[in-house]
Amino acid sequence: MAASETSNGTALRYAFGNVLSFFILLLIGVLAFSIRLFSVIKYESVIHEFDPYFNYRVTQYLTKNGIYDFWNWFDDRTWYPLGRVIGGTVYPGLTLTAGTLYWILNSLNIPLSVETVCVFTAPIFSAFASWATYLLTKEVKGAGAGLTAAVLLAMVPSYISRSVAGSYDNEAVAIFALIFTFFLYIKTLNTGSLFYATLNAIAYFYMVCSWGGYTFIINLIPMHVLLCIVTGRYSSRLYIAYAPLVVLGTLLASLVPVVGFNAVLTSEHFGSFLVFIIIHVVALVYYIKGILSPKMFKVAVTLVLSIGLVVCCAVIAVLVALVASSPTKGWSGRSLSLLDPTYASKYIPIIASVSEHQPPTWPSYFMDINVLAFLVPAGIIACFSPLSDASSFVVLYIVTSVYFSGVMVRLMLVLAPAACIMSGIALSASFDVFTRSIKFQLPGVKGNSQVDAGDTSSEGVVAQNEVAKTDKNEEALKERPSKKNRKKEKEHVEKPSVKAQTKKRLLVLPFEASIIAILLLILLGAFYVVHSVWAAAEAYSAPSIVLTSYSHDGLHVFDDFREAYSWLSHNTEVDDKVASWWDYGYQTTAMANRTVIVDNNTWNNTHIATVGTAMSSPEKAAWEIFDSLDVKYVLVVFGGLVGYPSDDINKFLWMVRIGGGVFPHIKEPDYLRDGQYRIDSQATPTMLNCLMYKLSYYRFVETDGKAFDRVRRTEIGKKHFKLTHFEEVFTTHHWMVRIYKLKPQKNRIRGKAKKSRSKASSTTSTKRGETQRKNPWH
Amino acid sequence: MSPTHSLPLLLLLISLLLISTSTGSSDSDRVSELQSLQSRSKTGVIHLDDHSVSRYLTSTKTPRPYYLLIFFDATQLHDKSELQLKTLHSEFSLLAQSFVANNPDPSPSSPNLFFCDIEFKESQQSFALFGVNALPHIRLVAPHQSPKQSEQMDQGDFSRLAESMADFIQAKTKLNVGPIHRPPFLSTKQVAFIVLATLVWIPFAIKKIVKGETLLHDPKLWLSGSVFIYFFSVSGAMHNIIRKMPMFLADRNDPNKLIFFYQGSGMQLGAEGFAVGFLYTIVGLLLAFVTHLLVKVRNLNVQRFVMIVALFVSFWAVKKVVYLDNWKTGYGIHGFWPSGWK
């Protein structure tokens, strides 16, 4: 009604508002993209860390050989001699996305390299993610909240940490997919349109393709549906939002090779099926209620209830029996440790030992979502006044994700979008109140607008305008719904707005206090921006493949890793096998294009233990193990000269433990002096004679004459020694990577070796018969 | 030690056992004594003291026909949570129970295994005899070993509680412990009762849900619930539960003082977490209070006063968190300034 009165003026205003929000969104996209470029500006356009190198290599393969070859790819460059089925063991979403980007750009004659596309995929998708946040929040609380949430998400540190340029990992696209799936779910819930429901299933499919975290969606949405049903909010829109998602989504999910039949077989998905049954029962009840008279309905209820209960009990009994028959009750260890936080620490030391899986302390929240932590409770309360289907969903989202983030620090990433949405809602609501208070009480109009005198003329006009605006806003929000629902929605919107019109005029706060409050809120926002920019620039943009350090004489760059990998690719045969600890497997295959024994996809513990055993054995035994694996070169990472702490000597105890776990002749106490891990003169003889020690410290004494290790801060125990079975072939500039070649076997034992070769398996080349039992590979 | 000398000391034991102990009791007597002691004990753990140690260990000739697995206990240390003596002891009893249940008829050919515990206060001599000076301590005395030679269970062997102790026994004695019978969380009667109660309750619940008058329909409950979960999570309470962190520590330098805040980002204390969680939450709550409730108040002065207080408290809370974070992790917030612009 207000709209019809001032149609022309408000329409213009509207158009202006829409154009403005469009440009704001554009700027938010630019912000999200550019804040993640610090890594490129400060370092260079490289791929970061370890896993991204694998994704990069897979993308290269995809763009070169096409999708079918990628789907069927058996990779013989890793896990020699076993190999790995790549097509069936990766989440293909990220690779396909970057591959598509590359293909589009090249067909537009923009010749970017695959690497460039991979480096910038994450920032591009961060921009998409902030737009998706806008859409989602707009569905919940209107455009203002949407814009605020989008700008918060564009620079939330937790998300930046996983999506800086170069960090080419699944999470980069998965967070976008997560938010977008939630948006489409809410959109379907608000409109009841089957079109959005279908889109929702497709977005869910994209999420399943991208990240294992899709189980969060397939449990959160059923929870919300159940919540709606239990609190009496069932509607046909809810049915349309949920049922197609389960049917289509599950069918699509099982198309992804990694998921396959897990989509119907594991307990993570059972909740959705149970809710699927429940929603059908409820839908039936509502339908029958509609066609029967109240009396008949009561009879029907008792009938249906009794039958329904029996059926339900039967189904539940079958489910329980199915689930109980498996030892972990059908849940994977990681999911279980989310439900029972103490589970992992009790039963799965591997999961408990990963630093990403630690429970966070309170400073982590301050680091990762910063001031949003203060605003979230206000957002929760704003969502409850009034509570709608959409706002109850975001409340559920924040509550579950904040709980999960409390169990595992890694899931802070899932919390971040929820925290942004909530804070956006909170900020928008408070700005709304404070600016209104200031606007209506500006010194010019203050004389005749005492707060209670809402009905004075000038105040009335202003307020009228304001209400008209908000009214229109709300309408605009619902503008897109299909025509069928539109009428209903309008009625729904208009009723409260009449009330609001009479009330809103009075809802103001004192003028001066509002100004202070706004200033403080802006200060808080500024604090957030400063922190986020700092986090993006300093904390999260180091690529870890190129290292830098500042000292009194300026900046030092350590580019040893790439030096070593390019040495390998230029100076070794294509089919040579390189052994190193698994951390460097992905990088070696991607950058040096050489076959590795183990890599970061730690699927075969025995194989890793073999390498660990070789590294912990004396030279001769190690040579035999490596030789049996056809290894030509051994690569070790050594930080003692420049003080790089995450080198192989510091990881060595893990090699001993993992090796000893499979081959019991390796015993951890042999490497420890009185329970202490040391490499100085007090070190045990086993330690001083093991391969890792020798390869790391060979010729180290020649650097400074004392052989002082700057990581362990001590002089090493054994300084002068010769290598008998290995020869040094390359050491990088700062000694961070050292490459050794296995010496060929001596002539005099060739006769013997030939004999044993005929007996041994095909993977074995030459070895002495008498040492066979010591060799763990056999 | 001569058997006649030990006779009077054994009187208590004898009266308890109602077994006539002749001075020259044989190995089989000892075994049957131990067996009856074991069957008398509720958990299958035999309580030893200095006298019984001498009777079953020191005064016998090796090889004895049995293994003894001895748990060294000290009641006065039960309240030291970091030693976990209570947990270990209950796990030990569980192990004993399971062993007895799984091996009801020990084969006569292989040596028996008995589970024993010794209390420090009553049996200080035995502690000295075994050379035990740190707890927790579990020892296995094989048939041919003297107390000093006996093997100690490593820290790693009781890390996974009863299961790893069982592995230790299997490795050292070649005796099969079998599956550990943990008592179910709820007894069968309780389970039956709960199932029955739920079944009775379901129709009423459905009726109420259909009518829409349960607690679940009260948004205030949901609101406070979600805010509480938020508070609980951001305070790092999960960390405290998983790591079993205490609420506070006693100061090492000054025992009367308590430490509530721990410096260093990897760890936090309980009270510290809740304090900061409270600060995190209060700001949002005050903001929501001001924007949703205070606007409805009609008195201008009340509004003004409450708002100033709320703003002041929020400002203080944010400042406090920034300060504490700086103190704890050493990270002070500062802008990023490109080096070229200086």
Side-chain angles (χ1 to χ4, degrees):
Chain A
M1 34 162 189
S4 59
E5 279 170 30
T6 52
S7 57
N8 234 350
T10 42
L12 196 71
R13 209 169 154 160
Y14 244 153
F16 182 69
N18 280 341
V19 170
L20 196 64
S21 15
F22 176 76
F23 277 106
I24 293 175
L25 277 177
L26 213 61
L27 286 177
I28 288 173
V30 171
L31 169 70
F33 183 79
S34 50
I35 201 172
R36 289 167 168 81
L37 297 186
F38 275 111
S39 57
V40 172
I41 295 166
K42 290 183 73 183
Y43 298 87
E44 59 183 296
S45 173
V46 284
I47 299 202
H48 291 190
E49 295 190 331
F50 307 105
D51 286 19
Y53 269 97
F54 171 74
N55 298 325
Y56 166 52
R57 185 161 158 262
V58 176
T59 315
Q60 263 183 327
Y61 188 88
L62 171 72
T63 51
K64 211 181 280 172
N65 298 351
I67 179 135
Y68 288 106
D69 278 355
F70 161 64
W71 216 249
N72 297 321
W73 185 18
F74 176 79
D75 184 14
D76 56 0
R77 292 253 157 211
T78 63
W79 294 96
Y80 181 84
L82 309 169
R84 176 183 171 196
V85 185
I86 301 272
T89 54
V90 290
Y91 284 100
L94 177 77
T95 321
L96 291 177
T97 309
T100 316
L101 273 181
Y102 172 81
W103 178 76
I104 291 173
L105 287 170
N106 273 273
S107 55
L108 292 175
N109 289 326
I110 305 175
L112 290 181
S113 69
V114 179
E115 189 181 7
T116 316
V117 173
C118 293
V119 166
F120 292 103
T121 300
I124 290 172
F125 270 79
S126 314
F128 290 171
S130 40
W131 291 334
T133 312
Y134 165 73
L135 292 172
L136 172 56
T137 321
K138 193 180 148 198
E139 283 301 313
V140 178
K141 278 281 166 181
L147 287 173
T148 325
V151 77
L152 292 177
L153 186 101
M155 51 188 175
V156 64
S158 167
Y159 185 28
I160 287 179
S161 73
R162 296 309 185 102
S163 63
V164 291
S167 127
Y168 178 56
D169 214 343
N170 289 337
E171 288 93 334
V173 297
I175 293 301
F176 159 71
L178 181 88
I179 302 170
F180 199 61
T181 312
F182 285 157
F183 156 65
L184 285 169
Y185 171 69
I186 295 292
K187 187 81 187 174
T188 325
L189 200 56
N190 280 345
T191 60
S193 139
L194 205 52
F195 170 69
Y196 284 114
T198 318
L199 283 188
N200 188 18
I202 294 173
Y204 171 67
F205 174 57
Y206 184 59
M207 177 70 190
V208 179
C209 279
S210 310
W211 198 33
Y214 75 89
T215 44
F216 180 62
I217 297 183
I218 204 59
N219 284 303
L220 185 67
I221 290 181
M223 265 168 80
H224 179 244
V225 171
L226 200 64
L227 191 79
C228 283
I229 292 174
V230 168
T231 52
R233 290 176 157 274
Y234 172 80
S235 63
S236 54
R237 289 174 288 117
L238 186 72
Y239 182 82
I240 291 173
Y242 185 64
L245 174 71
V246 172
V247 176
L248 285 178
T250 307
L251 282 177
L252 288 170
S254 49
L255 293 181
V256 184
V258 215
V259 179
F261 277 107
N262 282 348
V264 285
L265 287 181
T266 53
S267 296
E268 277 99 338
H269 305 81
F270 283 172
S272 65
F273 300 140
L274 194 66
V275 174
F276 188 67
I277 297 170
I278 292 174
I279 198 172
H280 275 95
V281 172
V282 172
L284 192 71
V285 170
Y286 272 81
Y287 175 69
I288 292 172
K289 198 177 181 181
I291 58 169
L292 290 183
S293 63
K295 224 179 198 179
M296 283 294 284
F297 178 68
K298 262 195 179 166
V299 180
V301 162
T302 34
L303 195 73
V304 168
L305 265 190
S306 43
I307 296 174
L309 264 185
V310 170
V311 172
C312 267
C313 286
V315 169
I316 290 172
V318 169
L319 276 183
V320 166
L322 267 180
V323 169
S325 59
S326 85
T328 57
K329 311 283 174 243
W331 289 77
S332 65
R334 264 177 226 187
S335 322
L336 265 183
S337 63
L338 281 181
L339 299 180
D340 171 15
T342 51
Y343 178 83
S345 55
K346 262 189 250 161
Y347 301 108
I348 326 172
I350 294 275
I351 288 187
S353 71
V354 178
S355 69
E356 276 188 333
H357 297 159
Q358 303 303 314
T361 52
W362 67 263
S364 316
Y365 286 93
F366 194 70
M367 181 69 197
D368 274 1
I369 57 174
N370 202 245
V371 304
L372 303 187
F374 295 111
L375 295 172
V376 170
I380 295 177
I381 292 171
C383 279
F384 271 95
S385 52
L387 193 67
S388 67
D389 290 349
S391 67
S392 66
F393 178 75
V394 286
V395 169
L396 194 66
Y397 177 25
I398 185 95
V399 167
T400 45
S401 62
V402 83
Y403 168 77
F404 289 153
S405 76
V407 180
M408 261 188 214
V409 69
R410 175 189 176 157
L411 293 174
M412 206 73 104
L413 189 63
V414 178
L415 166 70
C420 290
I421 291 167
M422 280 303 177
S423 310
I425 290 170
L427 274 181
S428 156
S430 15
F431 275 130
D432 199 30
V433 171
F434 294 140
T435 48
R436 192 202 307 147
S437 318
I438 294 173
K439 189 175 170 187
F440 292 168
Q441 301 173 82
L442 275 177
V445 282
K446 206 183 174 185
N448 54 357
S449 69
Q450 291 301 319
V451 180
D452 299 51
D455 45 357
T456 53
S457 56
S458 66
E459 168 83 357
V461 173
V462 183
Q464 191 82 19
N465 245 341
E466 170 73 13
V467 171
K469 192 178 137 202
T470 46
D471 201 353
K472 263 255 159 173
N473 250 339
E474 275 167 50
E475 239 171 85
L477 197 145
K478 312 275 181 185
E479 224 160 31
R480 264 187 244 160
S482 62
K483 280 186 185 141
K484 259 186 272 166
N485 295 312
R486 203 169 159 186
K487 250 189 200 164
K488 222 164 136 197
E489 301 271 345
K490 233 181 183 174
E491 274 169 46
H492 186 69
V493 170
E494 266 168 4
K495 260 185 211 158
S497 78
V498 177
K499 245 191 261 163
Q501 205 173 0
T502 50
K503 253 189 167 179
K504 224 165 200 174
R505 277 176 231 157
L506 310 174
L507 298 185
V508 283
L509 291 166
F511 181 69
E512 329 75 48
S514 303
I515 290 185
I516 302 174
I518 280 202
L519 285 179
L520 283 180
L521 276 182
I522 291 175
L523 199 69
L524 202 67
F527 191 78
Y528 176 69
V529 174
V530 168
H531 172 81
S532 304
V533 172
W534 173 84
E538 303 276 340
Y540 294 135
S541 63
S544 91
I545 188 96
V546 186
L547 306 160
T548 55
S549 81
Y550 292 94
S551 64
H552 53 91
D553 50 343
L555 177 75
H556 289 273
V557 178
F558 304 104
D559 203 0
D560 288 37
F561 286 107
R562 289 193 295 177
E563 190 186 347
Y565 294 132
S566 65
W567 185 90
L568 273 177
S569 75
H570 286 112
N571 296 285
T572 59
E573 297 289 322
V574 177
D575 286 331
D576 283 349
K577 279 81 187 165
V578 181
S580 66
W581 190 232
W582 58 263
D583 295 21
Y584 313 103
Y586 278 167
Q587 291 181 348
T588 313
T589 42
M591 286 204 267
N593 193 23
R594 292 294 172 268
T595 308
V596 295
I597 307 299
V598 290
D599 70 19
N600 309 44
N601 178 273
T602 52
W603 63 274
N604 187 329
N605 191 39
T606 317
H607 221 49
I608 294 180
T610 310
V611 175
T613 307
M615 294 295 190
S616 347
S617 306
E619 227 183 310
K620 193 170 151 199
W623 187 92
E624 274 150 11
I625 295 172
F626 279 142
D627 192 55
S628 71
L629 287 166
D630 288 351
V631 170
K632 275 269 177 61
Y633 296 92
V634 179
L635 178 152
V636 293
V637 172
F638 170 62
L641 186 72
V642 288
Y644 170 62
S646 47
D647 65 351
D648 278 346
I649 291 285
N650 270 5
K651 291 172 186 167
F652 182 59
L653 271 192
W654 280 108
M655 304 184 200
V656 173
R657 274 176 211 146
I658 293 173
V662 179
F663 306 109
H665 69 274
I666 302 288
K667 293 187 192 70
E668 192 179 336
D670 293 348
Y671 297 83
L672 303 174
R673 172 75 69 195
D674 301 328
Q676 270 192 322
Y677 178 58
R678 49 202 309 172
I679 45 96
D680 55 7
S681 48
Q682 295 294 305
T684 59
T686 326
M687 177 71 216
L688 294 179
N689 281 316
C690 74
L691 185 70
M692 181 48 74
Y693 179 89
K694 285 193 163 178
L695 297 192
S696 288
Y697 292 116
Y698 178 61
R699 291 201 306 113
F700 184 48
V701 69
E702 293 167 28
T703 54
D704 59 353
K706 282 190 300 191
F708 183 78
D709 185 323
R710 287 170 66 177
V711 176
R712 268 63 59 175
R713 303 190 170 282
T714 170
E715 276 184 35
I716 62 171
K718 197 166 150 189
K719 295 174 185 175
H720 304 277
F721 54 86
K722 285 220 167 68
L723 294 175
T724 52
H725 290 73
F726 293 83
E727 59 179 326
E728 185 186 4
V729 284
F730 186 67
T731 294
T732 56
H733 185 206
H734 301 98
W735 286 53
M736 278 170 60
V737 184
R738 313 195 67 185
I739 301 171
Y740 293 84
K741 191 177 183 179
L742 271 74
K743 277 186 184 167
Q745 226 160 12
K746 279 173 189 148
N747 279 339
R748 60 184 166 86
I749 53 168
R750 191 169 277 170
K752 252 186 182 173
K754 257 186 193 160
K755 236 188 254 165
S756 74
R757 184 192 281 173
S758 58
K759 276 185 224 159
S761 67
S762 61
T763 61
T764 331
S765 59
T766 49
K767 102 187 86 56
R768 289 163 58 178
E770 69 191 46
T771 54
Q772 249 183 342
R773 71 195 148 75
K774 266 198 174 174
N775 187 338
W777 186 237
H778 292 276
Chain B
M1 201 184 284
S2 75
T4 38
H5 174 63
S6 68
L7 188 63
L9 300 172
L10 274 169
L11 266 173
L12 181 82
L13 191 72
I14 294 159
S15 60
L16 195 81
L17 292 174
L18 300 171
I19 292 171
S20 60
T21 44
S22 63
T23 44
S25 58
S26 69
D27 280 347
S28 57
D29 284 346
R30 288 202 175 86
V31 171
S32 57
E33 274 171 44
L34 280 167
Q35 267 167 349
S36 86
L37 273 173
Q38 189 182 51
S39 61
R40 264 152 213 277
S41 153
K42 214 165 49 176
T43 56
V45 175
I46 302 163
H47 188 74
L48 295 183
D49 50 24
D50 287 342
H51 321 303
S52 40
V53 164
S54 79
R55 171 155 173 79
Y56 298 118
L57 275 176
T58 41
S59 62
T60 56
K61 55 183 184 299
T62 54
R64 291 176 287 268
Y66 45 79
Y67 285 96
L68 288 182
L69 188 69
I70 306 173
F71 183 91
F72 292 85
D73 197 10
T75 342
Q76 79 234 41
L77 295 177
H78 274 194
D79 52 343
K80 295 236 170 182
S81 60
E82 66 268 23
L83 292 180
Q84 295 198 313
L85 277 181
K86 268 187 181 164
T87 338
L88 285 173
H89 193 262
S90 71
E91 286 294 318
F92 186 77
S93 330
L94 202 62
L95 180 72
Q97 243 170 335
S98 308
F99 180 80
V100 173
N102 291 334
N103 305 284
D105 306 303
S107 61
S109 57
S110 65
N112 271 325
L113 171 65
F114 293 103
F115 296 81
C116 318
D117 62 353
I118 303 187
E119 213 288 317
F120 177 69
K121 273 256 172 79
E122 337 174 323
S123 336
Q124 302 199 359
Q125 282 177 16
S126 308
F127 270 64
L129 181 71
F130 283 96
V132 175
N133 44 25
L135 291 181
H137 197 114
I138 302 175
R139 250 170 201 286
L140 179 74
V141 191
H144 56 275
Q145 284 171 332
S146 72
K148 280 268 185 197
Q149 291 169 330
S150 60
E151 244 176 305
Q152 187 193 346
M153 203 185 272
D154 281 340
Q155 196 81 38
D157 285 320
F158 42 81
S159 62
R160 277 188 307 114
L161 308 174
E163 280 77 8
S164 55
M165 294 186 201
D167 291 346
F168 173 83
I169 293 169
Q170 258 152 12
K172 301 290 175 197
T173 65
K174 308 282 183 291
L175 289 169
N176 189 16
V177 177
I180 306 290
H181 303 291
R182 287 184 185 278
F185 187 66
L186 296 166
S187 70
T188 41
K189 269 185 192 167
Q190 280 168 316
V191 169
F193 177 75
I194 288 171
V195 168
L196 205 70
T198 346
L199 280 181
V200 172
W201 174 74
I202 281 175
F204 291 102
I206 287 177
K207 199 178 168 192
K208 281 220 158 185
I209 288 172
V210 170
K211 276 190 180 169
E213 51 187 33
T214 48
L215 266 181
L216 296 175
H217 291 77
D218 185 4
K220 282 198 189 95
L221 185 84
W222 290 99
L223 175 64
S224 37
S226 31
V227 171
F228 175 75
I229 292 180
Y230 180 78
F231 159 75
F232 190 74
S233 302
V234 289
S235 65
M238 278 303 162
H239 173 270
N240 297 339
I241 292 172
I242 294 171
R243 292 284 142 79
K244 300 198 177 91
M245 296 303 290
M247 288 306 271
F248 46 79
L249 293 174
D251 198 332
R252 290 212 175 171
N253 306 325
D254 178 7
N256 294 326
K257 258 167 77 181
L258 296 173
I259 301 177
F260 289 99
F261 282 81
Y262 181 88
Q263 200 162 9
S265 60
M267 224 173 90
Q268 72 170 32
L269 297 174
E272 169 189 0
F274 287 123
V276 179
F278 172 73
L279 292 180
Y280 276 146
T281 319
I282 190 77
V283 178
L285 289 181
L286 282 175
L287 189 65
F289 172 74
V290 167
T291 52
H292 293 289
L293 286 181
L294 196 63
V295 282
K296 292 180 184 155
V297 174
R298 292 194 163 232
N299 188 329
L300 198 62
N301 282 329
V302 171
Q303 277 189 331
R304 191 166 287 143
F305 175 72
V306 173
M307 238 183 118
I308 299 287
V309 170
L311 288 178
F312 180 75
V313 172
S314 312
F315 186 76
W316 171 81
V318 175
K319 221 180 137 220
K320 199 77 195 162
V321 170
V322 172
Y323 163 76
L324 281 173
D325 186 59
N326 185 12
W327 173 81
K328 191 174 173 73
T329 63
Y331 159 63
I333 203 153
H334 56 83
F336 169 72
W337 206 245
S339 50
W341 294 4
K342 271 171 194 165

